Coordinates of all heavy atoms in Angstrom, one line a residue:
M184 N 0.8 -1.2 0.0 CA 0.0 0.0 0.0 C 0.9 1.3 0.0 O 0.6 2.2 -0.8 CB -0.9 0.0 1.2 CG -1.6 1.3 1.4 SD -3.0 1.2 2.7 CE -3.2 2.9 3.1
Q185 N 1.9 1.3 0.8 CA 2.8 2.4 0.9 C 3.5 2.7 -0.4 O 3.7 3.8 -0.8 CB 3.8 2.2 2.1 CG 3.1 2.2 3.5 CD 4.0 1.6 4.5 OE1 5.2 1.4 4.3 NE2 3.4 1.4 5.7
L186 N 3.9 1.6 -1.0 CA 4.6 1.7 -2.3 C 3.7 2.2 -3.4 O 4.1 3.1 -4.2 CB 5.2 0.3 -2.7 CG 6.0 0.3 -4.0 CD1 7.3 1.1 -3.8 CD2 6.4 -1.1 -4.4
T187 N 2.5 1.8 -3.4 CA 1.5 2.2 -4.4 C 1.3 3.8 -4.2 O 1.3 4.5 -5.2 CB 0.1 1.5 -4.2 OG1 0.3 0.1 -4.3 CG2 -0.9 2.0 -5.2
A188 N 1.1 4.2 -3.0 CA 1.0 5.6 -2.7 C 2.2 6.4 -3.1 O 2.1 7.4 -3.8 CB 0.7 5.9 -1.2
H189 N 3.4 5.9 -2.8 CA 4.6 6.5 -3.1 C 4.9 6.7 -4.6 O 5.2 7.8 -5.1 CB 5.8 5.7 -2.5 CG 7.2 6.3 -2.7 ND1 7.6 7.4 -2.1 CD2 8.2 5.8 -3.5 CE1 8.9 7.6 -2.5 NE2 9.2 6.6 -3.4
L190 N 4.6 5.6 -5.4 CA 4.9 5.6 -6.8 C 3.8 6.4 -7.6 O 4.1 7.0 -8.7 CB 4.9 4.2 -7.4 CG 6.1 3.3 -6.9 CD1 5.9 1.9 -7.5 CD2 7.4 3.9 -7.4
L191 N 2.6 6.6 -7.1 CA 1.6 7.2 -7.8 C 1.3 8.7 -7.4 O 0.3 9.3 -7.7 CB 0.3 6.4 -7.7 CG 0.4 5.0 -8.4 CD1 -0.9 4.3 -8.3 CD2 0.9 5.1 -9.8
G192 N 2.2 9.2 -6.5 CA 2.1 10.6 -6.2 C 1.6 11.0 -4.8 O 1.4 12.2 -4.5
G193 N 1.3 10.0 -4.0 CA 0.9 10.3 -2.6 C 2.1 10.5 -1.8 O 3.2 10.6 -2.2
K194 N 1.9 10.6 -0.5 CA 3.0 10.8 0.5 C 3.0 9.8 1.6 O 1.9 9.6 2.2 CB 2.9 12.2 1.0 CG 4.1 12.6 1.8 CD 4.1 14.1 2.3 CE 5.3 14.4 3.1 NZ 5.3 15.8 3.7
V195 N 4.2 9.2 1.9 CA 4.3 8.3 3.0 C 5.3 8.9 4.0 O 6.3 9.3 3.6 CB 4.9 6.9 2.4 CG1 5.1 6.0 3.6 CG2 3.9 6.3 1.4
K196 N 4.9 8.9 5.2 CA 5.7 9.5 6.3 C 6.0 8.4 7.3 O 5.4 7.4 7.5 CB 5.0 10.7 6.9 CG 3.8 10.3 7.7 CD 3.3 11.5 8.5 CE 2.1 11.1 9.4 NZ 1.6 12.2 10.3
K197 N 7.1 8.7 8.1 CA 7.4 7.9 9.2 C 6.4 8.1 10.3 O 6.1 9.2 10.7 CB 8.8 8.3 9.7 CG 9.4 7.3 10.7 CD 10.9 7.7 11.0 CE 11.6 6.6 11.8 NZ 13.0 6.9 12.1
G198 N 5.8 7.0 10.9 CA 4.8 7.1 11.9 C 5.4 7.6 13.2 O 6.6 7.5 13.4
E199 N 4.5 8.1 14.1 CA 5.0 8.5 15.4 C 5.3 7.4 16.3 O 6.2 7.4 17.1 CB 3.9 9.5 16.0 CG 3.8 10.8 15.3 CD 2.7 11.7 15.9 OE1 2.3 11.4 17.0 OE2 2.4 12.7 15.2
K200 N 4.5 6.3 16.2 CA 4.7 5.1 17.1 C 4.5 3.8 16.3 O 4.8 2.8 16.8 CB 3.7 5.2 18.2 CG 2.2 5.3 17.8 CD 1.3 5.3 19.0 CE -0.1 5.3 18.5 NZ -1.1 5.0 19.5
G201 N 3.9 3.8 15.1 CA 3.6 2.6 14.4 C 2.4 1.9 15.0 O 1.9 2.3 16.0
E202 N 2.0 0.8 14.3 CA 0.9 0.0 14.7 C 1.4 -1.5 14.6 O 1.8 -1.9 13.5 CB -0.3 0.2 13.8 CG -1.3 1.2 14.2 CD -2.5 1.2 13.3 OE1 -2.4 1.3 12.1 OE2 -3.7 1.2 13.8
Y203 N 1.3 -2.2 15.7 CA 1.7 -3.6 15.7 C 0.7 -4.4 16.4 O 0.2 -4.0 17.5 CB 3.1 -3.7 16.3 CG 4.1 -3.0 15.6 CD1 4.5 -1.7 16.0 CD2 4.7 -3.5 14.5 CE1 5.5 -1.0 15.3 CE2 5.7 -2.8 13.7 CZ 6.1 -1.6 14.2 OH 7.0 -0.9 13.5
G204 N 0.2 -5.5 15.9 CA -0.7 -6.4 16.5 C -2.2 -6.0 16.1 O -2.4 -5.4 15.1
K205 N -3.1 -6.3 17.0 CA -4.5 -6.2 16.7 C -4.9 -4.7 16.7 O -4.5 -3.9 17.6 CB -5.4 -7.0 17.6 CG -5.3 -8.5 17.4 CD -6.2 -9.3 18.3 CE -6.0 -10.8 18.0 NZ -6.9 -11.6 18.9
S206 N -5.7 -4.3 15.7 CA -6.2 -2.9 15.6 C -7.7 -3.0 15.1 O -8.1 -4.0 14.5 CB -5.3 -2.1 14.7 OG -5.7 -0.8 14.7
T207 N -8.4 -1.9 15.3 CA -9.8 -1.8 14.8 C -9.8 -1.1 13.5 O -9.3 0.0 13.4 CB -10.7 -1.1 15.8 OG1 -10.7 -1.8 17.1 CG2 -12.1 -1.0 15.3
F208 N -10.4 -1.8 12.5 CA -10.5 -1.2 11.1 C -11.9 -0.8 10.9 O -12.9 -1.5 11.2 CB -10.1 -2.3 10.1 CG -10.4 -1.9 8.7 CD1 -9.7 -0.8 8.1 CD2 -11.3 -2.6 7.9 CE1 -9.9 -0.5 6.8 CE2 -11.6 -2.2 6.6 CZ -10.9 -1.2 6.0
E209 N -12.1 0.5 10.5 CA -13.4 1.0 10.2 C -13.6 1.3 8.7 O -12.8 2.0 8.1 CB -13.6 2.3 11.0 CG -15.0 2.9 10.8 CD -15.3 4.2 11.6 OE1 -14.4 4.6 12.4 OE2 -16.3 4.8 11.4
V210 N -14.6 0.7 8.1 CA -14.9 1.0 6.7 C -15.5 2.3 6.5 O -16.6 2.6 7.1 CB -15.8 -0.1 6.1 CG1 -16.1 0.2 4.6 CG2 -15.2 -1.5 6.2
L211 N -14.9 3.2 5.7 CA -15.5 4.5 5.5 C -16.3 4.6 4.2 O -17.2 5.4 4.1 CB -14.3 5.6 5.4 CG -13.5 5.7 6.7 CD1 -12.3 6.7 6.5 CD2 -14.3 6.1 7.9
R212 N -15.8 3.8 3.2 CA -16.5 3.8 1.9 C -16.4 2.4 1.3 O -15.3 1.9 1.1 CB -15.9 4.8 1.0 CG -16.5 4.9 -0.4 CD -15.7 5.9 -1.2 NE -16.3 5.9 -2.6 CZ -17.3 6.7 -3.0 NH1 -17.8 7.6 -2.1 NH2 -17.7 6.7 -4.2
S213 N -17.5 1.8 1.0 CA -17.4 0.4 0.5 C -16.9 0.4 -1.0 O -17.1 1.4 -1.7 CB -18.8 -0.3 0.5 OG -18.7 -1.6 0.2
N214 N -16.3 -0.7 -1.4 CA -15.9 -0.8 -2.8 C -15.9 -2.3 -3.1 O -16.2 -3.1 -2.2 CB -14.6 -0.1 -3.0 CG -13.5 -0.7 -2.1 OD1 -13.4 -1.9 -1.9 ND2 -12.6 0.2 -1.6
P215 N -15.6 -2.8 -4.3 CA -15.6 -4.2 -4.6 C -14.7 -5.1 -3.6 O -15.0 -6.2 -3.4 CB -15.1 -4.3 -6.0 CG -15.5 -3.0 -6.6 CD -15.3 -2.0 -5.5
L216 N -13.7 -4.5 -3.1 CA -12.8 -5.2 -2.1 C -13.4 -5.4 -0.8 O -13.2 -6.4 -0.1 CB -11.4 -4.5 -2.0 CG -10.4 -5.2 -1.1 CD1 -9.8 -6.4 -1.8 CD2 -9.3 -4.2 -0.7
L217 N -14.2 -4.4 -0.4 CA -14.8 -4.3 1.0 C -16.3 -4.7 1.0 O -16.9 -4.5 2.1 CB -14.5 -3.0 1.6 CG -13.1 -2.5 1.7 CD1 -13.0 -1.1 2.2 CD2 -12.3 -3.5 2.6
V218 N -16.8 -5.1 0.0 CA -18.3 -5.4 0.0 C -18.5 -6.6 1.0 O -17.8 -7.6 1.0 CB -18.8 -5.8 -1.5 CG1 -18.1 -7.1 -2.0 CG2 -20.3 -5.9 -1.5
G219 N -19.5 -6.4 1.8 CA -19.9 -7.4 2.8 C -19.1 -7.4 4.0 O -19.2 -8.2 4.9
I220 N -18.2 -6.4 4.2 CA -17.3 -6.3 5.4 C -18.0 -5.4 6.4 O -18.5 -4.3 6.0 CB -15.9 -5.7 5.0 CG1 -15.3 -6.5 3.9 CG2 -15.1 -5.6 6.2 CD1 -15.0 -8.0 4.2
P221 N -18.2 -5.8 7.6 CA -18.8 -5.0 8.6 C -18.1 -3.6 8.8 O -16.9 -3.5 8.4 CB -18.7 -5.8 9.9 CG -18.3 -7.2 9.5 CD -17.6 -7.1 8.2
R222 N -18.9 -2.6 9.3 CA -18.3 -1.3 9.4 C -17.0 -1.3 10.3 O -16.1 -0.6 10.0 CB -19.3 -0.3 10.0 CG -18.9 1.1 9.9 CD -20.0 2.1 10.3 NE -20.3 2.0 11.7 CZ -19.6 2.7 12.7 NH1 -18.6 3.5 12.3 NH2 -20.0 2.7 13.9
K223 N -17.0 -2.1 11.4 CA -15.9 -2.2 12.2 C -15.5 -3.7 12.4 O -16.3 -4.5 12.6 CB -16.1 -1.6 13.6 CG -16.2 0.0 13.5 CD -16.2 0.6 14.9 CE -16.1 2.1 14.9 NZ -16.1 2.7 16.2

């Protein structure tokens, strides 16, 4: 994902603390990849 953003004109930065292990994902906008996925 970071490489895609980097190569296509987005910006990737060094995180303040990073994310490791379990995290909560929230769907903001559905698309063919996320169809049928719960909001959280």
Side-chain angles (χ1 to χ4, degrees):
M184 170 168 163
Q185 296 164 8
L186 183 64
T187 302
H189 179 71
L190 291 176
L191 297 183
K194 188 175 179 185
V195 177
K196 68 171 184 177
K197 193 172 185 177
E199 292 179 13
K200 57 177 182 165
E202 266 186 308
Y203 298 96
K205 290 182 179 179
S206 185
T207 299
F208 173 65
E209 182 180 353
V210 177
L211 299 177
R212 180 184 176 88
S213 189
N214 59 39
L216 182 72
L217 300 175
V218 67
I220 304 301
R222 190 172 72 85
K223 288 189 176 181

